[in-house]
């Protein structure tokens, strides 16, 4: 079906199953250890061999020698994969850095070899025996050093509205600040992992991957296979955050190792390899300029962003956060990219918007302070119902409703307008706010829905559940559409043999994939009505029965039926802009002695139209807020420019927040629907939560101490020199 | 990980004999540190002697009125012991400030004394590290050294001792009992952890080959207020940026040791003596010979402020 906007009345309006807080239907399997993750399909073949990847010991250069003789002779070893015996490995469109090095090395810990052995321990032991000689080359690793060499990437344009330069120059009140954000690691629980099996020239991969169709196509490209020969299976994924959008070395090397040895091969990246072998959110330098009138009306907004990547890689699009944010007639958005020889930079949860919100939302707080305005009032003055660049109306924008609801719930009125004034025991206490704004894109998505002879329902789509709750909302959608209890719906995901879905990324997954199931269910409703001989247009589906014109039939009377449906969204963006909104509130304490920052409370009030499952949606927003807290206070991939690598490449050194860091965390959703967004009348919130909380924390630190730290993360040594003596 | 052989003796004496028989042997208890190091090819023992069944799991009162803690008493059991909580509160507070409940359940008293550094370059075998490979250099000296030591270091090594327990043991004047091929002896805690020489190799512990830690003894309780203040980026499950262990008496005298700032728990008798004069006087003594990096110079004012917090806390 082609989505026709706005969505009219439809069966999802009943909200008997959809919209109800629902525990995830895959929860029991996960908590009892029966949900099978990529590395755990041990019964798919009787003779699994193990791969162990050796990462490059230099960041840039050339392999001059590689001695694998000792490794090959080591106990249990079947073969050693290197560029010399791997055959051609092409880069797919989704990969910048080659997944197998040789002879060139383009980043630290790039895979240079993989040992295949009978056991994991044998493979690991043999990998340590491989001797690699390198000719090191000079590389560029520090964004600040390369900033002046950066240029506007070919696909990006500086965007200008009005006369930014004049308006900013003449503005009565100005903020002109430069912030930096460091590189971030996805730091998902499950490392990248794959099992590869060849059967009669057909390759099956059980692989942790967010985008099954992209993954399948990429593997085919990498190995020069017809895509029809590749099957990718990924029913459960232990976190992705963008780090599993595209195939990585595990998938390609498992396939090559299996081909060379004639054995199915399983590979997981060892944790210290994940940080430099895969991808990360690139570091940024961001200059924000805000020009305002004395009353707070914005006259000019500028957002210039610098990031780096390998040659051919993409820029981090931080100005994305500013484009839809606040009204101002005169605007500048610039994205510049420098070439760096670090590992590949790529998408991480809310790419662009997350680091962009860390700066624009902090700069707005700086402006509010300059103006002597409440920062919520400054947002209200500059709120807009039309996109400031395109001029198109937002399909739905309830940003200020979120602020009002949040302010009331949080007790915002108790915030001191003057910073550094509230002391509680050993802590300076402060509050901060920031807006959450994140695009609500959609993608074509298909699903196959079957009514089985016993009246139960089966949903099949290659959609993935990366911990987000996809299983549950797809089941809820089918249950609502077909009038059966959720327990009567089985959902099967993550298999390229199923219809191609939107996949999980960019917070498009929830609304796109449920709309695909909606489309298939609509077709199935017609098929069921026809089967029992009632008018499909008049039929209602409830309590496991279909009824029309005074007649009612049990669904079992329709027999077994299957329909494959697909939703497309062509033209959706022609007249409206699609975004989700929210407001973050933070209260924290800064220790007067040590400058340790300890969060006290976090609250997010969000709006995305209909919320399909308040339980999993809340879980998603909380996860985003938690990552945002990490970005504000803890997370930094530390570049050692002498060696060209991220030095803190394990979870003991790359600290992410733990429960003790956030004692109280709440998420509230506004009621309402967005019929322009999708037939489901709502949008996903998987990335909304990470947009804004870091700035809200930075703003609360300022409110507590009067100290503005513009280089994230805000760690104690950045506050200490400016803290009052004790 | 290199292949290794394994045995599990049933007494301390048998364990020491096993060590003498084998080549390249290491004792293993909780394994919370050694196993990680083996997986990363940092430690490559040929033979593991599992000491988990040799006894040494009791906490007993000594004739002098102190406590004798068996080397295999877990961190959880030690922190929870009623006598420790009552008379040596700084030890309980230090232990529970470290790691996680799961790790403390496995980690032992003897093992914690031998906890390895958390220097990032020690953990990456592509990098120079004198502690891991004598003569290869120290990549940390001009590298990412935010968490590393600021005092007691040399150009050979600036790694820090990351243990919380050790800092409390130092302030309590613990003694480490060991059994080796040449018999038993006792090593004062201040002599147990070594500072690096100017030139590698980097010596870490005062243990002689084959010596097994059998117990840690604590002198009779000294009273006073026991404080352990751990300053860290993350509220839990994080190594100390700096930590302060202190025992403070009502007359203003006391003892103080720092963690996270040196290759060993850092204490100076002159610093103890300076306690009545306040945090600056104490820090000045403790850091008289400090040689921080640009990355970690903030630890000096931070430690002084943390000492001030402890002193203020003690007066409440």
């Amino acid at each position: 079906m082609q989505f026709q906007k706005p969505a009219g009345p439809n069966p999802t309006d009943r909200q008997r199953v959809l919209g109800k807080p629902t525990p995830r239907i895959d929860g029991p399997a996960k908590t009892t250890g029966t949900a099978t993750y990529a590395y755990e399909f041990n019964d798919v073949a009787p003779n699994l061999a193990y791969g162990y990847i050796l990462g490059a010991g230099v960041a840039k250069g050339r392999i001059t020698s590689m001695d694998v003789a000792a490794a090959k002779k080591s106990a249990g070893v079947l073969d050693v994969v290197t560029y010399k015996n791997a055959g051609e490995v092409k880069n797919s469109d989704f990969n910048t850095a080659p997944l197998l090095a040789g002879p060139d090395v383009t980043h630290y810990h790039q895979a240079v070899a993989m040992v295949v052995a009978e056991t994991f321990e044998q493979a690991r032991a043999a990998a340590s025996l491989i001797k690699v000689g390198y000719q090191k080359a000079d590389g560029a690793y520090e964004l600040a050093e390369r900033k002046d060499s950066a240029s506007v990437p070919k696909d990006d344009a500086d965007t200008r509205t009005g006369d930014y330069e004049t308006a900013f120059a003449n503005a009565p009140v100005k903020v002109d600040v430069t912030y930096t954000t460091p590189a971030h690691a996805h730091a998902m629980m499950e490392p990248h992992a794959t099992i590869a099996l060849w059967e009669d020239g057909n390759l099956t991969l059980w692989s942790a991957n967010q985008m099954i169709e992209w993954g399948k196509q990429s593997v085919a490209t990498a190995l020069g296979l017809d895509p029809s020969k590749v099957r990718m299976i990924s029913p459960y994924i232990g976190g992705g955050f963008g780090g599993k959008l595209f195939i990585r070395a595990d998938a390609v090397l498992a396939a090559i190792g299996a081909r060379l040895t004639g054995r199915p091969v399983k590979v997981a990246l060892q944790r210290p390899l994940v940080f430099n072998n895969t991808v990360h959110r690139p570091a940024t330098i961001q200059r924000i300029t805000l020009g305002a009138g004395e009353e707070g009306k914005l006259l000019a907004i500028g957002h210039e962003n610098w990031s780096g990547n390998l040659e051919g890689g993409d820029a981090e699009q931080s100005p994305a956060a500013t484009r839809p944010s606040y009204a101002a007639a005169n605007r500048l958005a610039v994205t510049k990219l420098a070439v760096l020889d670090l590992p590949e930079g790529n998408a991480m949860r809310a790419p662009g918007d997350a680091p962009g919100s860390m700066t624009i939302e902090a700069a707005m707080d700086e402006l509010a302070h300059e103006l002597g305005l409440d920062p919520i009032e400054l947002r209200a003055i500059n709120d807009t119902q039309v996109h400031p660049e395109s001029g198109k109306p937002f399909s739905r924008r309830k940003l200020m409703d979120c602020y009002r609801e949040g302010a009331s719930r949080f007790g915002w009125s108790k915030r001191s307008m003057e910073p550094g004034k509230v002391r509680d025991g050993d802590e300076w206490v402060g509050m901060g706010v920031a807006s959450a704004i994140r695009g609500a894109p959609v993608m074509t998505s298909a699903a196959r829905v079957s009514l089985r002879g016993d009246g139960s329902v089966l949903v099949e789509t290659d959609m993935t559940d990366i911990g987000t709750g996809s299983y549950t909302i797809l089941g809820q959608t089918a249950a609502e559409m077909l009038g059966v209890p959720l327990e009567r719906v089985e959902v099967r995901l993550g298999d390229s043999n199923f219809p191609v879905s939107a996949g999980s990324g960019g917070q498009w997954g929830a609304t796109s994939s449920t709309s695909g199931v909606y489309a298939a269910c609509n077709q199935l409703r017609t098929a069921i009505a026809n089967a029992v001989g009632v008018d499909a247009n008049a039929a209602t589906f409830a309590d496991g029965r279909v009824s029309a014109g005074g007649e009612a039939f049990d669904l079992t009377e329709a027999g077994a039926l299957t329909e494959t449906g697909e939703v497309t969204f062509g033209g959706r963006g022609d007249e409206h802009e699609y975004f989700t909104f929210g407001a973050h509130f933070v209260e924290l304490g800064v220790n007067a002695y040590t400058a340790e920052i300890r969060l006290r409370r976090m609250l997010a009030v969000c709006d995305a139209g209909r919320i399909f499952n308040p339980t999993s949606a809340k879980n998603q927003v909380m996860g985003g807020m938690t990552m945002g807290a990490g970005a504000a206070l803890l997370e930094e991939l530390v570049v050692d420019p002498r060696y060209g690598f991220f030095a803190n490449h394990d979870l003991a050194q790359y600290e992410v927040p733990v429960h003790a860091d956030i004692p109280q965390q709440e998420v509230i959703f506004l009621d309402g629907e967005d019929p322009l967004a999708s037939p489901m009348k709502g949008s996903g919130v998987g990335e909304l939560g990470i947009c804004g909380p870091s700035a809200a924390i930075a703003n609360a630190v300022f409110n507590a101490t009067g100290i503005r730290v513009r280089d994230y993360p805000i760690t104690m040594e950045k506050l200490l020199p400016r803290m009052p003596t004790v | 990980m290199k292949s290794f052989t394994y045995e599990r003796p049933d007494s301390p004496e048998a364990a020491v004999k096993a060590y003498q028989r084998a080549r390249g042997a290491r004792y293993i208890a909780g394994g919370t540190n050694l196993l990680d190091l083996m997986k990363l090819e940092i430690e490559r023992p040929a033979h593991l002697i599992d000491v988990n069944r040799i006894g040494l799991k009791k906490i007993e009162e000594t004739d002098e009125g102190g406590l004798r803690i068996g080397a295999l008493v877990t961190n959880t059991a030690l922190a929870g012991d009623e006598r420790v909580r009552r008379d040596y509160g700084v030890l309980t507070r230090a232990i529970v400030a470290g790691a996680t409940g799961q790790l403390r359940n496995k980690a032992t008293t003897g093992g914690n004394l031998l906890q390895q550094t958390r220097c990032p370059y020690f953990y990456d075998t592509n990098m120079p590290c004198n502690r891991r490979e004598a003569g290869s250099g120290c990549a940390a000296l001009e590298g990412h050294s935010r968490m590393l030591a600021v005092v007691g270091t040399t150009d050979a090594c600036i790694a820090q001792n990351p243990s919380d327990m050790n800092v409390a043991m130092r302030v309590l004047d613990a003694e480490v009992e060991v059994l080796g091929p040449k018999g038993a002896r006792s090593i004062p805690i201040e002599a147990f952890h070594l500072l690096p020489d100017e030139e590698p190799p980097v010596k870490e512990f005062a243990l002689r080959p084959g010596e097994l830690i059998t117990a840690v003894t604590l002198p009779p309780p000294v009273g006073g207020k026991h404080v352990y203040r751990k300053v860290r980026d993350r509220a839990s499950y994080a190594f100390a940026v700096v930590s302060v262990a202190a025992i403070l008496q009502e007359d203003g005298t006391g003892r103080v040791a720092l963690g996270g700032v040196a290759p060993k728990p850092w204490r100076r008798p002159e610093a103890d003596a300076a306690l009545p004069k306040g945090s600056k006087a104490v820090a000045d003594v403790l850091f008289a010979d400090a040689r921080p990096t640009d990355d970690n110079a903030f630890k000096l004012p931070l430690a002084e402020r943390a000492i001030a917090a402890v002193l203020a806390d003690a007066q409440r």
Side-chain angles (χ1 to χ4, degrees):
Chain A
M1 64 171 273
Q2 163 93 27
F3 171 59
Q4 301 291 338
K5 60 184 187 300
N10 71 39
T12 67
D13 295 337
R14 291 190 296 191
Q15 297 282 300
R16 291 185 187 173
V17 188
L18 282 165
K20 294 276 182 292
T22 307
R24 57 180 64 196
I25 59 177
D26 48 326
K30 286 182 174 172
T31 51
T32 55
T34 52
T36 311
Y37 290 78
Y39 199 69
E40 302 172 333
F41 283 87
N42 295 315
D43 52 359
V44 296
N47 55 345
L48 274 169
Y50 292 77
Y52 189 89
I53 294 175
L54 178 68
V58 301
K60 189 177 184 183
R62 199 173 166 83
I63 297 170
T64 53
S65 65
M66 186 141 40
D67 182 356
V68 298
K72 278 190 148 179
K73 276 187 240 156
S74 186
V77 171
L78 299 167
D79 209 338
V80 179
V81 179
T82 72
Y83 75 95
K84 290 182 176 173
N85 65 354
E88 189 180 12
V89 184
K90 286 193 190 136
N91 252 15
S92 78
D93 292 344
F94 295 114
N95 293 93
T96 302
L99 297 174
L100 177 62
D104 292 333
V105 173
T106 56
H107 65 86
Y108 192 75
H109 274 174
Q110 190 173 28
V112 295
M114 182 183 75
V115 177
V116 183
E118 294 288 350
T119 70
F120 171 77
E121 288 77 11
Q122 289 170 331
R124 182 171 59 188
S128 73
L129 303 176
I130 297 173
K131 299 272 180 289
V132 188
Y134 299 99
Q135 172 84 49
K136 287 187 200 172
D138 290 337
Y141 306 107
E142 287 179 292
L143 177 61
E145 302 269 308
R146 301 294 299 162
K147 180 176 175 239
D148 292 342
S149 75
S151 58
V152 177
K154 60 181 184 310
D155 296 337
D156 295 302
D158 293 15
T159 53
R160 284 161 188 278
T161 311
D163 182 354
Y164 160 79
E165 276 79 8
T166 306
F168 182 65
N170 296 335
V173 182
K174 288 181 211 175
V175 166
D176 183 348
V177 286
T178 298
Y179 281 79
T180 61
T181 66
H184 291 148
H186 302 81
M188 72 293 280
M189 188 88 81
E190 177 201 31
H192 302 73
T194 299
I195 293 175
L197 171 68
W198 291 89
E199 291 166 306
D200 305 324
N202 294 302
L203 174 64
T204 304
L205 296 169
W206 290 263
S207 189
N209 193 296
Q210 300 174 224
M211 300 291 295
I212 298 301
E213 179 64 14
W214 293 359
K216 168 183 157 171
Q217 297 289 344
S218 297
V219 168
T221 303
L223 302 179
L225 297 169
D226 186 311
S228 68
K229 302 281 189 192
V230 180
R231 182 179 177 194
M232 184 172 279
I233 300 172
S234 194
Y236 297 103
I237 297 155
F241 311 119
K244 293 171 182 165
L245 284 170
F246 316 117
I247 60 164
R248 305 253 68 94
D250 57 300
V252 166
L253 291 181
I256 295 170
R259 191 175 62 198
L260 286 176
T261 60
R263 296 271 296 270
V265 169
K266 64 190 287 185
V267 186
L269 294 187
Q270 56 270 31
R271 181 68 65 184
L273 213 57
V274 172
F275 296 79
N276 286 282
N277 175 273
T278 68
V279 289
H280 61 276
R281 187 202 299 283
T284 69
I285 299 169
Q286 300 180 48
R287 181 184 179 207
I288 306 284
T289 46
L290 302 173
E294 301 284 0
E295 308 302 314
K297 181 84 186 146
L298 281 167
L299 306 169
I301 297 185
H303 193 154
E304 297 162 78
N305 183 74
W306 292 263
S307 65
N309 212 333
L310 290 164
E311 186 82 51
D314 292 331
E316 184 72 14
Q317 304 281 349
S318 306
T322 296
R323 296 179 194 278
S325 60
Y326 305 108
N330 305 288
R331 316 177 71 86
L332 170 72
V334 178
T335 304
K336 286 189 175 173
L337 178 63
V339 174
L340 293 177
D341 297 297
L342 290 169
E344 180 178 334
N346 214 313
M348 179 170 148
R349 202 172 197 175
D353 281 330
S357 69
M358 292 168 77
T359 65
I360 178 66
E361 291 297 323
M364 284 293 281
D365 199 73
E366 299 206 39
L367 179 62
H369 183 70
E370 287 294 315
L371 291 161
L373 275 177
D374 183 303
I376 298 177
E377 180 59 21
L378 179 65
R379 267 88 172 183
I381 291 169
N382 294 288
D383 190 33
T384 173
Q385 287 297 311
V386 300
H387 191 288
E389 284 189 5
S390 73
K392 294 180 201 168
F394 291 104
S395 69
R396 180 179 166 93
R397 175 173 169 132
K398 303 279 182 192
L399 177 64
M400 295 319 299
D401 298 75
C402 293
Y403 271 116
R404 274 186 289 275
E405 178 71 20
S408 155
R409 286 175 180 268
F410 200 72
W412 178 252
S413 60
K414 295 197 186 82
R415 170 183 175 267
S416 164
M417 280 289 285
E418 202 183 335
K421 289 294 167 202
V422 181
R423 183 75 179 252
D424 177 14
D426 280 352
E427 288 188 331
W428 296 103
V429 180
M431 292 189 199
V433 290
S435 301
I437 305 176
R438 174 63 178 159
V442 285
M443 303 257 282
T444 296
S445 196
R448 181 163 63 224
V449 182
S450 304
L451 176 66
R452 295 191 281 213
D454 64 356
S456 69
V457 173
L458 173 66
V459 177
E460 295 166 303
T461 164
D462 83 352
M463 181 62 189
T464 48
D465 189 324
I466 61 173
T468 40
S470 307
Y471 276 103
T472 311
I473 58 171
L474 295 176
Q476 288 174 276
T477 303
E480 191 78 81
M481 290 294 292
L482 299 172
V484 299
L486 182 56
E487 301 74 45
R488 296 290 284 161
V489 182
E490 180 188 351
V491 183
R492 294 182 187 161
L493 301 182
D495 186 332
S496 61
N497 280 356
F498 298 153
V500 176
S501 74
S504 299
Q507 91 170 8
W508 62 62
T511 197
S512 306
S513 66
T514 52
S515 296
V517 170
Y518 168 91
C521 287
N522 261 341
Q523 292 172 218
L524 187 57
R525 285 164 61 102
T526 301
I528 292 168
N530 291 343
V532 298
V534 300
D535 177 3
N537 292 322
T540 58
F541 290 74
D543 307 319
R545 297 170 74 77
V546 53
S547 47
E551 290 184 284
F553 301 91
D554 199 282
L555 288 179
T556 53
E557 295 177 61
L561 295 166
T562 293
E563 289 289 332
T564 300
E566 181 180 76
V567 68
T568 58
F569 294 89
R572 177 181 181 259
D574 291 350
E575 291 166 23
H576 290 89
E577 297 278 356
Y578 295 87
F579 285 83
T580 55
F581 296 91
H584 289 282
F585 292 79
V586 166
E587 184 183 55
L588 52 76
V590 180
N591 190 283
Y593 290 94
T594 61
E596 288 162 291
I597 301 167
R598 294 289 177 255
L599 296 172
R600 294 183 168 202
R601 295 187 287 148
M602 296 182 87
L603 165 68
V605 180
C606 299
D607 179 66
R610 266 191 195 153
I611 299 301
F612 311 142
N613 178 359
T615 302
S616 55
K618 177 181 174 184
N619 175 58
Q620 281 298 291
V621 175
M622 286 179 79
M625 293 160 77
T626 305
M627 284 180 110
L633 301 175
L634 298 167
E635 296 182 44
E636 174 178 14
L637 283 169
V638 178
V639 176
D640 184 329
R642 302 167 306 161
Y643 300 101
F645 77 138
F646 297 125
N648 52 337
H649 53 67
D650 62 40
L651 291 175
Q653 301 178 81
Y654 186 89
E655 291 182 5
V656 298
V658 295
H659 285 91
D661 286 306
I662 311 175
Q664 192 182 330
Q665 192 174 24
E666 273 189 84
V667 178
I668 305 291
F669 294 105
L670 299 186
D671 289 330
E673 58 189 50
D674 186 357
L676 291 164
S678 75
M680 303 296 292
K681 303 181 183 177
S683 297
V685 292
E687 297 182 340
L688 184 60
I690 196 176
C691 299
S694 311
I697 289 168
N699 299 341
V701 169
F702 176 77
N703 186 242
T705 62
I707 301 170
R708 192 73 74 174
V709 175
R710 299 192 184 91
D711 53 331
Y712 289 101
I714 307 170
T715 45
M716 56 187 82
E717 65 267 37
K718 296 172 188 173
L719 291 174
L720 269 177
R722 291 188 274 166
M723 292 287 285
T725 51
V726 290
Chain B
M1 188 192 286
K2 188 171 139 184
S3 293
F4 56 88
T5 51
Y6 170 90
E7 70 182 297
R8 192 168 61 200
D10 58 8
S11 72
E13 294 75 17
V16 172
K17 283 211 173 69
Y19 188 96
Q20 291 172 275
R21 272 198 306 273
R23 285 164 61 89
R26 292 292 307 265
Y27 299 116
I28 184 165
T32 58
N33 202 183
L34 182 59
L35 288 178
D36 286 347
L37 297 172
M38 289 169 66
K39 290 172 187 175
L40 293 166
E41 303 281 340
I42 295 164
E43 292 277 1
R44 297 169 58 85
H47 185 68
L48 283 188
I49 301 164
D50 181 341
V51 295
N52 283 298
R53 302 224 179 143
I54 63 170
L56 310 181
K57 293 186 179 178
K58 287 193 192 134
I59 303 175
E60 300 161 310
E61 283 153 40
T62 63
D63 295 342
E64 293 76 30
L67 287 180
R68 184 171 186 276
I69 303 154
L72 290 159
V73 171
T74 66
N75 286 181
T76 298
L78 180 57
D81 185 272
E82 195 180 319
R83 295 159 294 184
V84 174
R85 291 172 62 186
R86 185 186 62 222
D87 297 331
Y88 306 94
V90 66
L91 182 56
T92 291
R93 293 188 178 107
I95 290 171
V96 300
T100 64
Q102 293 91 332
L103 285 168
R104 295 194 296 267
N105 286 344
K106 287 299 289 178
T108 62
T109 307
N112 198 330
L113 284 171
L114 300 172
Q115 192 178 158
Q116 256 300 354
T117 181
R118 288 285 160 178
C119 176
Y121 302 94
F122 177 81
Y123 280 87
D124 187 330
T125 52
N126 291 315
M127 295 293 136
C129 174
N130 284 325
R131 185 174 286 255
R132 177 166 35 75
E133 190 183 340
S136 62
C138 173
L141 203 54
E142 292 174 3
H144 173 44
S145 55
R146 178 177 183 267
M147 294 295 286
L148 304 183
V150 295
V151 67
T153 60
T154 68
D155 283 358
C157 184
I158 60 168
Q160 93 284 35
N161 186 310
S163 169
D164 294 298
M165 185 196 82
N166 293 350
V167 191
M169 290 293 193
R170 180 69 185 89
V171 89
L172 289 168
D173 284 333
E175 295 254 337
V176 183
E177 292 181 17
V178 301
L179 179 68
K182 293 177 183 167
R185 66 181 179 122
S186 182
I187 308 169
I189 185 78
E190 70 259 34
F192 184 81
H193 298 98
L194 305 180
L195 296 176
D197 292 330
E198 291 296 332
E199 297 294 329
V202 178
K203 295 191 213 90
E204 302 176 305
F205 309 106
L207 292 173
R208 295 172 191 144
E211 281 187 330
L212 172 73
I213 299 171
T214 51
V216 177
T217 52
L218 299 179
V222 295
K225 181 155 183 167
H226 288 225
V227 187
Y228 189 74
R229 176 69 166 93
K230 181 173 183 177
V231 181
R232 47 185 157 182
D233 296 308
R234 183 162 71 179
S236 174
Y237 196 23
F239 292 101
V241 179
V242 305
S243 68
V244 183
I247 300 173
L248 300 166
Q249 308 295 345
E250 281 187 10
D251 63 3
T253 63
R255 310 168 172 197
V256 60
L258 300 183
V261 300
K264 61 188 288 184
W266 199 244
R267 187 173 167 206
R268 285 278 175 278
E270 310 91 303
D272 288 359
L275 273 171
K277 288 187 246 167
S279 59
K280 183 171 189 311
V282 174
D284 283 350
V285 173
L286 288 171
F287 292 132
D289 301 316
R291 46 195 303 283
T293 65
D294 289 347
D295 256 12
N296 63 25
F298 74 96
K299 286 191 178 191
L300 274 56
L302 177 64
E304 183 188 325
R305 295 174 76 112
I307 295 165
V310 165
L311 295 177
D313 191 31
Q315 282 165 8
R316 283 181 195 144

